[in-house]
Amino acid sequence: MARYVQNLFSKCSLAILSRNEHHARDVLYSISILDQHAFSVENKVVGLVGTLTPMGRELRFLVMAANITRTLRMIGEKCITLANKSLLLTKHPPIGFYETLKKMIDTVDKMLADAVDNLINPSLSDAQMICEQDDRVDKMLDKVEKELKIVMEESPKLVSRAIELLTIFRLLEEIGDLCTEIIESSMYVAEGKYYHCANDTLEEVSENGSV
């Protein structure tokens, strides 16, 4: 399921950057496949819990599987929204911000790939790097929000396109946040400890909720 979601994001990236309607429409038809993946995972978890007596890491993995599946599905849903926004923007001339958009997409793409890899081979140091990338994405969004606000103030006729573009940037930032949720879950599975990505640091959370 994680690899499938990665593929959806790759198609979204091509749809947005290349203004490619074919890739955008491919993503739009993916919701039923996402549901199938989620249903399959849930069934397997129920079956394993019902027939085995998992302990330790195996138990933690089964406990967190539903949370990881939910997070992956949310990323898939945001990809579908991105594809819709991409189709809207292809109907009008671009208003710039290509390099900024490419930089954010590349960063989020790496975050997603690293988060999925961390599910398979958990690494605290790799998880920390994903937190640092998330902080960079947040700063990119802050900067582009200010720049797009200026565009809207100076060119009222571009307001609708600027709003759609801003929505795309915000969706990318939200996917970045979801990537940090994946690593928080994977690190709990691996370490048996709770971690939270705050700003650019992955911090251990105590049982009372403090870091």
Side-chain angles (χ1 to χ4, degrees):
M1 182 176 183
R3 296 300 186 197
Y4 183 76
V5 170
Q6 271 188 277
N7 185 50
L8 286 185
F9 186 79
S10 295
K11 288 184 178 179
C12 279
S13 301
L14 287 171
I16 294 166
L17 295 174
S18 303
R19 301 169 69 84
N20 188 310
E21 290 189 25
H22 174 72
H23 286 300
R25 295 192 188 282
D26 272 356
V27 174
L28 296 181
Y29 299 137
S30 66
I31 188 66
S32 61
I33 301 175
L34 275 173
D35 287 339
Q36 289 171 18
H37 279 297
F39 183 73
S40 175
V41 172
E42 290 164 3
N43 273 351
K44 287 178 180 178
V45 169
V46 171
L48 288 169
V49 171
T51 57
L52 303 176
T53 308
M55 298 178 65
R57 180 169 175 169
E58 288 75 19
L59 177 59
R60 294 196 300 272
F61 178 77
L62 291 175
V63 169
M64 296 306 293
N67 186 56
I68 294 168
T69 301
R70 177 192 61 83
T71 303
L72 288 169
R73 195 181 190 287
M74 289 176 66
I75 293 174
E77 289 172 347
K78 291 185 186 300
C79 287
I80 291 168
T81 306
L82 281 169
N84 273 313
K85 296 298 179 184
S86 173
L87 287 172
L88 289 174
L89 286 179
T90 58
K91 301 180 186 300
H92 306 282
I95 61 172
F97 294 89
Y98 177 87
E99 290 302 324
T100 305
L101 189 57
K102 186 177 186 306
K103 183 177 180 181
M104 184 178 279
I105 285 175
D106 287 346
T107 304
V108 174
D109 183 57
K110 179 167 175 50
M111 287 180 68
L112 180 56
D114 290 348
V116 171
D117 288 344
N118 210 53
L119 284 174
I120 302 164
N121 297 302
S123 163
L124 194 58
S125 60
D126 289 347
Q128 169 61 35
M129 286 191 287
I130 294 172
C131 279
E132 293 170 4
Q133 291 169 337
D134 184 56
D135 187 56
R136 289 196 287 273
V137 169
D138 291 342
K139 289 175 180 175
M140 279 188 264
L141 178 62
D142 289 342
K143 183 174 183 291
V144 82
E145 281 182 336
K146 293 173 184 175
E147 293 173 350
L148 279 169
K149 183 179 179 181
I150 293 172
V151 169
M152 288 186 277
E153 289 173 348
E154 294 180 349
S155 305
K157 66 180 181 179
L158 298 180
V159 167
S160 61
R161 274 178 279 172
I163 290 173
E164 297 294 348
L165 188 57
L166 180 56
T167 301
I168 287 176
F169 278 108
R170 287 174 175 167
L171 285 164
L172 290 168
E173 188 272 338
E174 289 168 7
I175 291 174
D177 286 343
L178 290 169
C179 290
T180 67
E181 290 188 20
I182 293 175
I183 61 167
E184 289 167 2
S185 296
S186 65
M187 293 317 304
Y188 173 73
V189 172
E191 303 284 336
K193 300 175 183 178
Y194 291 102
Y195 290 90
H196 178 63
C197 189
N199 297 320
D200 62 350
T201 305
L202 186 69
E203 300 178 328
E204 185 178 343
V205 181
S206 66
E207 290 184 3
N208 63 11
S210 61
V211 296

